[in-house]
Amino acid sequence: MICLYVLDDAAGRAPGGAARWWLAQSLRALGAEIVRRGGTLTLRRGPAARVIADLARESGAAAVYWNGVAQAPHRAVEQQLEAALAKAGVASQGFPGDLLVPPAAVRNKEGRGLRVFTPFWRRVLALGDPSKPLPAPKALRRGPEIASDTLEEWKLEPVNPDWAGGLRDTWTPGEAAARACLRDFLKTVARGYVGDRDRPDRQGTSGLSPHLRFGEISPRQVFHAARFAAAEDPSLGPGIEKFLTELGWREFCRHLLHDHPDLAGENLQANFDGFPWRSDSKALAAWQRGETGYPIVDAGLRELWHTGVMHNRVRMVAASFLVKHLLIDWRHGERWFWDTLVDADAGSNPANWQWVAGCGADAAPYFRVFSPVLQGEKFDPDGAYVRRFVPELKRLPAKLIHRPWEATPIELASAGVELGKTYPGPIVDHARGRERALAAYAKIRKG
Ligand SMILES: Cc1cc2nc3c(=O)[nH]c(=O)nc-3n(C[C@H](O)[C@H](O)[C@H](O)COP(=O)(O)OP(=O)(O)OC[C@H]3O[C@@H](n4cnc5c(N)ncnc54)[C@H](O)[C@@H]3O)c2cc1C
């Protein structure tokens, strides 16, 4: 058996910096696991269909197997590969490991994918439990000696500057860590998931997203382990059902991407094509650096830069702030997330950005303009999350931490804060930003 990973720069969207870092760690962990079982992991770079077909010929392989991804660029590679292998008389087979159900199984009467989440998820669940995944082989027989690239040659990790320190401190990529993460979640966090999942100041969610993104754990493994945990302990039921619904959102986003390969480029609702976005590179840079003057937004963007993820609730608030308060095209925010998230996903990232902007398939109503202050006070009531990622505000009392501009000069001085110097004032006034956003949205509604 030859275990092969091909880095194909032309298949799909090129991964951003944080995802490249994760990929390197993930391949290292996979390689070590394969060696432990008696095999080796071969690395090759180039157009996957050609590289795999050449290797099959070179090694005299009888058959080639892979894990399929039901997306246009990957399907194109598979089709080329199937044709090349058939010509060479080599058997081949792909296995679905990326989704709970194939997109073809969830279609409306016209044969199109569903665009609203709730009926989509109902349909997925009505199809019955997805098949149980098989265990990994315990031992592998070593194949012939095959030349392999080295990970270092691929230069996936940053050097000069090495900005990945925060990622290393936060994450352990790889299959064993993914399984441990799921186990911990089901043992402890799942019980409080319904209430805690919206709290960035708590460890209230699973942290599985980058592991799922890189196939270190599959949605079917997660599904079955979660259902099993709920059957063993029925008091976990509500938390597990909610958690599985979130896994359903991942599925929904990937089905959307299957139907709309240009999800990151094209508004799903065409009336947004004429939206009066503002071009403001200074405001975009302030948002990217976490210097908007709104503590919950800034904490989120700094969490992202430091750890490679941002809490889901804060992603919604920070994304809404960019597209509504700053009126900057969602595609700029999507690209920033794409480059900085370790879980950057070609389905979930643009689908969620479109959802927040209001141009998505199952979009939040455009008139919902989050107040960053109220969101902060509701979901980070003591300010612990802000204190962690915006340390220059950490001595402000809880009642002021989400609205430092309302503090008196004495309160600011005793917390060591100089607005405009140690921490910026608000980049835009909330009420004005909200009105401007509503006026812009009203224009396209008329149009
Ligand atoms: C603007 C924006 C951009 C986003 N970009 C991404 C992205 O690139 N990649 C990504 O995996 N998620 C993305 N999300 C969804 C969500 O924020 C993350 O999946 C979640 O924060 C991951 O943390 P967790 O694994 O602890 O989640 P949990 O709460 O433990 O959820 C379990 C799993 O469900 C899936 N999930 C949860 N929420 C969503 C959702 N809204 N959409 C799709 N899947 C979901 C994830 O696979 C997650 O690992 C985005 C959300 C927003 C608002």
Side-chain angles (χ1 to χ4, degrees):
M1 162 118 60
I2 299 168
C3 301
L4 173 68
Y5 180 88
V6 183
L7 182 66
D8 183 345
D9 299 301
R13 199 170 168 190
R20 287 163 65 85
W21 174 84
W22 189 288
L23 176 62
Q25 319 312 311
S26 192
L27 286 170
R28 219 165 261 138
L30 177 65
E33 196 53 39
I34 289 175
V35 167
R36 211 171 60 76
R37 287 159 203 244
T40 49
L41 176 63
T42 301
L43 304 175
R44 292 277 175 97
R45 185 173 202 160
R50 205 193 66 214
V51 170
I52 299 169
D54 286 353
L55 186 61
R57 263 192 304 272
E58 195 183 308
S59 60
V64 176
Y65 304 99
W66 62 82
N67 195 21
V69 177
Q71 303 300 345
H74 305 87
R75 282 297 300 140
V77 171
E78 277 180 275
Q79 281 156 5
Q80 288 165 26
L81 180 58
E82 277 157 358
L85 292 173
K87 216 163 120 200
V90 179
S92 67
Q93 192 176 354
F95 291 88
D98 180 47
L99 293 169
L100 294 171
V101 298
V106 191
R107 304 275 101 186
N108 65 13
K109 284 199 201 84
E110 292 81 46
R112 284 200 295 271
L114 307 194
R115 286 174 61 119
V116 179
F117 175 72
T118 306
F120 166 85
W121 188 230
R122 221 182 287 127
R123 282 276 293 278
V124 172
L125 293 177
L127 290 170
D129 287 1
S131 59
K132 280 204 172 126
L134 297 172
K138 287 200 171 63
L140 297 167
R141 206 143 39 88
R142 215 189 177 88
E145 279 306 314
I146 298 280
S148 172
D149 294 355
T150 63
L151 266 178
E152 290 64 37
E153 279 167 348
W154 287 0
K155 297 192 179 11
L156 296 170
E157 295 156 286
V159 276
N160 278 337
D162 171 10
W163 44 257
L167 305 188
R168 280 192 294 273
D169 292 346
T170 313
W171 297 103
T172 310
E175 199 176 337
R179 272 202 306 272
C181 185
L182 177 61
R183 225 176 14 246
D184 288 352
F185 173 76
L186 295 174
K187 227 165 88 189
T188 54
V189 183
R191 187 172 303 283
Y193 185 72
V194 174
D196 287 350
R197 59 183 284 276
D198 271 322
R199 295 286 301 263
D201 57 341
R202 294 188 182 155
Q203 182 54 51
T205 67
S206 70
L208 276 169
S209 55
H211 298 292
L212 278 161
R213 155 68 183 83
F214 284 91
E216 295 169 356
I217 197 161
S218 79
R220 272 157 56 212
Q221 286 173 314
V222 174
F223 184 95
H224 283 288
R227 276 282 161 86
F228 183 76
E232 292 258 287
D233 179 354
S235 71
L236 294 181
I240 298 277
E241 279 320 298
K242 186 74 198 148
F243 172 67
L244 288 179
T245 309
E246 297 307 313
L247 199 63
W249 274 101
R250 173 189 181 276
E251 189 85 5
F252 181 60
C253 295
R254 295 187 80 74
H255 282 225
L256 269 181
L257 177 64
H258 170 270
D259 292 337
H260 303 277
D262 193 16
L263 197 58
E266 229 171 59
N267 297 308
L268 286 178
Q269 292 182 30
N271 60 332
F272 271 76
D273 292 351
F275 194 88
W277 299 115
R278 281 179 346 114
S279 159
D280 185 343
S281 54
K282 253 173 89 181
L284 176 62
W287 179 85
Q288 290 170 333
R289 284 199 300 263
E291 290 174 3
T292 66
Y294 284 94
I296 192 81
V297 174
D298 294 342
L301 284 142
R302 296 188 202 181
E303 178 186 22
L304 174 61
W305 183 250
H306 186 68
T307 70
V309 282
M310 190 194 297
H311 187 276
N312 180 58
R313 167 60 49 181
V314 189
R315 288 188 206 203
M316 290 195 276
V317 176
S320 166
F321 187 83
L322 184 79
V323 295
K324 297 191 176 170
H325 288 83
L326 298 180
L327 273 190
I328 291 179
D329 192 330
W330 63 268
R331 282 163 281 226
H332 289 293
E334 198 276 342
R335 278 200 291 275
W336 182 249
F337 272 30
W338 180 258
D339 203 31
T340 49
L341 278 172
V342 286
D343 67 14
D345 184 271
S348 298
N349 197 41
N352 274 284
W353 272 97
Q354 295 222 30
W355 181 82
V356 171
C359 54
D362 184 7
Y366 74 91
F367 50 80
R368 191 207 277 176
V369 180
F370 283 133
S371 151
V373 173
L374 298 183
Q375 289 285 311
E377 289 177 343
K378 184 162 177 198
F379 296 111
D380 180 32
D382 306 322
Y385 175 72
V386 165
R387 278 178 236 283
R388 182 166 165 220
F389 290 106
V390 189
E392 61 268 38
L393 297 180
K394 74 171 185 260
R395 286 164 54 207
L396 275 178
K399 71 175 190 345
L400 291 169
I401 196 149
H402 293 290
R403 46 177 93 218
W405 57 88
E406 288 183 13
T408 62
I410 293 176
E411 285 167 325
L412 287 174
S414 64
V417 178
E418 273 187 80
L419 274 189
K421 279 206 177 138
T422 59
Y423 183 72
I427 189 171
V428 57
D429 172 66
H430 167 62
R432 222 184 76 66
R434 182 172 186 279
E435 268 161 39
R436 188 173 63 177
L438 293 181
Y441 279 84
K443 265 191 208 149
I444 60 154
R445 259 203 326 164
K446 277 195 220 115

